[in-house]
Amino acid sequence: MYKEMEKEKLCHKKAAGAAKEAVTESTAKNTAAKDSVSGKPERIVIALGGNALQSGESGATAEEQLSVVRETCEHIAEISSRGYEIGIVHGNGPQVGRILLASETAKNVTPAMPFDVCGAMSQGYIGYHLQQALRHALDEKKRNVPVVTLTTQMVVDKNDPAFANPTKPIGPFYSREEAEKLEKEKSYTMKEDAGRGYRRVVPSPVPMEIVEIDSVRRLWDSTVTISCGGGGIPVIEKNDGSLEGVAAVIDKDFAAELLAEQVDADVLMILTEVEKVAINYGKPNQEDLTDMTADMAREYESEGQFAPGSMLPKVQAAIKFVSQRPGKKSIITSLDKAIDALEGKTGTTITFS
């Protein structure tokens, strides 16, 4: 009897020790994700690149895109499980281009939708995929955190010079011959995109105001928000105060930067295809950068080190965030290295000084 009692005590002791160890480990993870001054969980705005929504190796069907999104959300759920509060912004270049193409192709059967409406449609279906996949990934990690997608409008200046100089790639890639044909037949503006082929380009005005920012703020403490999808639906404010959609695509990195400012984020994390920002990219003397100050990044920018429409807007958004919020940081890295980058093990970290 005595031996059985001692054995039971030992079992309880081991169980208590294991529970304490688990709590300690969980606390360590959450503590690492807390602001050193306020003690509150660190806030991260995550900007997802196109590779996080659609693989270059797979097709463009809804099923294949959802498969990629599920893998993406495994990484995002892991960030959440470390105790960070997160908000998500995503691009929509390929998706909105296909929606517009489908609408224009079927114009003899049903009226074609205007570009701003196509952008809203892309927010809905990409947000739906992210919302569904992330909710499941969080459930798998026993994280009872709601996920919601907000249709988000972004006010732009109707006199923004971008309207006279389209630069934002959308839709699929075309050969040179196909691009020239589209320019003649549809009056599209076509440009080569980083050596990968030709794509249609549309205006990309600077985001000025997130119309639904109050809703994002109210949800932030309790919910993972997916907002400013595709950079937000671009709208201009009319003289009577009403809003009107315009044909443009706002760069999602600039939209994420504005969101990060307005929710007082600690980190702006821009996820892309490469692990680190590089200078002399693709050359024998390529150099991967572990960290940069805002001034260093501006100097590299002035040297033309970052490709327009590719790494340039990411670096510009990172610079703007840390310049507006000294003491905070921007991180540019790949999706699969996001956790390591948050821990300072890889990626490129940009700070004010």
Side-chain angles (χ1 to χ4, degrees):
M1 183 72 168
Y2 175 76
K3 287 183 179 180
E4 289 179 357
M5 290 175 63
E6 286 299 308
K7 185 176 181 181
E8 186 175 351
K9 284 182 182 178
L10 182 61
C11 288
H12 281 302
K13 189 173 181 181
K14 286 182 177 178
K20 184 176 180 181
E21 186 177 336
V23 170
T24 301
E25 182 181 354
S26 175
T27 302
K29 282 184 178 180
N30 289 340
T31 301
K34 295 195 183 228
D35 185 277
S36 59
V37 177
S38 67
K40 295 180 180 179
E42 284 196 356
R43 295 181 163 201
I44 305 178
V45 169
I46 299 173
L48 293 176
N51 65 313
L53 304 174
Q54 178 184 326
S55 170
E57 299 174 359
S58 62
T61 66
E63 293 80 10
E64 287 168 313
Q65 288 183 72
L66 181 56
S67 177
V68 174
V69 167
R70 284 174 179 149
E71 185 176 340
T72 293
C73 287
E74 292 292 332
H75 295 283
I76 297 174
E78 181 59 28
I79 294 173
S80 174
S81 73
R82 302 293 179 101
Y84 294 99
E85 291 181 353
I86 58 176
I88 299 169
V89 175
H90 61 79
N92 72 343
Q95 292 82 6
V96 74
R98 282 195 297 273
I99 291 171
L100 184 64
L101 182 61
S103 182
E104 290 179 346
T105 301
K107 66 183 179 182
N108 293 328
V109 179
T110 185
M113 292 293 103
F115 198 94
D116 58 309
V117 174
C118 292
M121 291 167 71
S122 74
Q123 280 192 1
Y125 102 72
I126 296 171
Y128 157 61
H129 278 175
L130 285 167
Q131 192 171 304
Q132 184 186 82
L134 184 55
R135 178 65 265 171
H136 177 72
L138 289 167
D139 283 344
E140 291 289 299
K141 293 182 178 295
K142 312 300 181 187
R143 290 280 290 170
N144 185 26
V145 182
V147 184
V148 68
T149 301
L150 292 175
T151 302
T152 319
Q153 302 170 92
M154 189 75 76
V155 176
V156 300
D157 184 351
K158 64 181 179 181
N159 297 315
D160 191 306
F163 287 108
N165 181 33
T167 59
K168 184 66 178 173
I170 64 166
F173 290 93
Y174 296 95
S175 68
R176 184 173 181 175
E177 292 74 21
E178 290 171 326
E180 290 174 348
K181 185 177 180 181
L182 287 169
E183 285 181 324
K184 290 177 181 178
E185 293 181 355
K186 296 183 176 292
S187 299
Y188 287 174
T189 301
M190 307 292 291
K191 290 186 180 179
E192 189 176 15
D193 185 356
R196 296 176 292 179
Y198 289 80
R199 296 175 77 185
R200 181 185 177 186
V201 290
V202 296
S204 185
V206 174
M208 297 173 59
E209 178 188 346
I210 302 169
V211 177
E212 289 77 18
I213 188 61
D214 286 344
S215 297
V216 177
R217 286 174 177 149
R218 291 183 185 188
L219 288 165
W220 186 279
D221 290 340
S222 63
T223 306
V224 175
T225 58
I226 302 165
S227 65
C228 305
I233 304 162
V235 295
I236 57 172
E237 189 169 353
K238 300 170 71 175
N239 292 335
D240 62 0
S242 63
L243 300 175
E244 181 180 16
V246 291
V249 171
I250 297 166
D251 192 287
K252 64 100 176 41
D253 298 316
F254 292 133
E257 188 283 324
L258 181 58
L259 178 64
E261 281 190 46
Q262 298 197 350
V263 298
D264 195 25
D266 299 284
V267 181
L268 169 62
M269 172 168 270
I270 300 174
L271 299 179
T272 184
E273 294 185 17
V274 295
E275 186 173 338
K276 294 183 178 183
V277 178
I279 56 174
N280 303 314
Y281 182 74
K283 299 177 181 178
N285 60 337
Q286 175 176 320
E287 179 184 349
D288 294 339
L289 304 173
T290 300
D291 49 64
M292 291 187 287
T293 65
D295 285 342
M296 288 171 60
R298 289 190 188 97
E299 184 175 342
Y300 289 137
E301 179 186 346
S302 69
E303 295 172 359
Q305 291 285 357
F306 310 123
S310 181
M311 187 55 73
L312 181 58
K314 296 170 177 53
V315 172
Q316 289 175 330
I319 292 171
K320 187 172 186 291
F321 178 64
V322 299
S323 297
Q324 295 293 327
R325 294 288 190 275
K328 309 297 187 180
K329 63 184 176 182
S330 300
I331 296 173
I332 301 175
T333 192
S334 57
L335 175 66
D336 61 322
K337 298 294 183 181
I339 292 292
D340 287 343
L342 282 170
E343 295 175 352
K345 296 176 183 176
T346 190
T348 302
T349 299
I350 299 94
T351 55
F352 179 67
S353 59

